[in-house]
Amino acid sequence: MSGQYCIVLTTTNNQRNSEQIISTVLSRSLAACIQTMPIQSHYIWQGEVCCDDEILLVMKTKRSCYAELEQTIVESHDYEIPQVVQIPFSEGLNPYLAWLEQNTRG
């Protein structure tokens, strides 16, 4: 099971878009679990320093789902250029990884 799982991160600045992304991703079995948390993002956009309240979505999935998950997030997202990044992980509790495996396709 080692090395085949990952966390995918994205952010959005409104609850409606967050719920839309979550619903679409879970209904397509592209992630087994999505956690959300409020964050404050500081970034540069079009040459200006910006700061926004956002919602961070932390998605647990399989690396084999990443390409379709990325496409789904981009299609569902309100942002022109959304953050979509994959963070592979190599270890985890075996029963949790088995649950992740059973609840994502691919």
Side-chain angles (χ1 to χ4, degrees):
M1 288 188 171
S2 180
Q4 62 185 342
Y5 302 102
C6 65
I7 294 171
V8 175
L9 304 176
T10 193
T11 59
T12 183
N13 64 359
N14 70 75
Q15 189 66 34
R16 180 198 53 76
N17 193 220
S18 173
E19 291 169 4
Q20 177 187 6
I21 293 167
I22 291 167
S23 176
T24 303
V25 168
L26 291 178
S27 70
R28 295 179 183 177
S29 299
L30 295 174
C33 173
I34 302 174
Q35 297 168 312
T36 63
M37 62 189 78
I39 61 169
Q40 195 171 61
S41 292
H42 304 264
Y43 58 96
I44 298 174
W45 180 249
Q46 298 179 340
E48 304 231 356
V49 175
C50 301
C51 177
D52 286 314
D53 292 329
E54 291 189 301
I55 302 164
L56 174 64
L57 283 70
V58 180
M59 305 177 195
K60 274 60 85 48
T61 189
K62 295 189 283 193
R63 293 177 71 180
S64 61
C65 292
Y66 178 77
E68 188 175 352
L69 178 56
E70 178 187 90
Q71 180 180 351
T72 298
I73 292 168
V74 170
E75 290 171 355
S76 302
H77 214 291
D78 287 346
Y79 289 176
E80 182 180 339
I81 304 174
Q83 167 190 299
V84 184
V85 296
Q86 178 192 125
I87 304 168
F89 60 89
S90 59
E91 298 294 330
L93 180 69
N94 281 336
Y96 180 81
L97 296 179
W99 171 81
L100 200 159
E101 181 72 32
Q102 292 170 349
N103 288 284
T104 53
R105 68 168 137 155

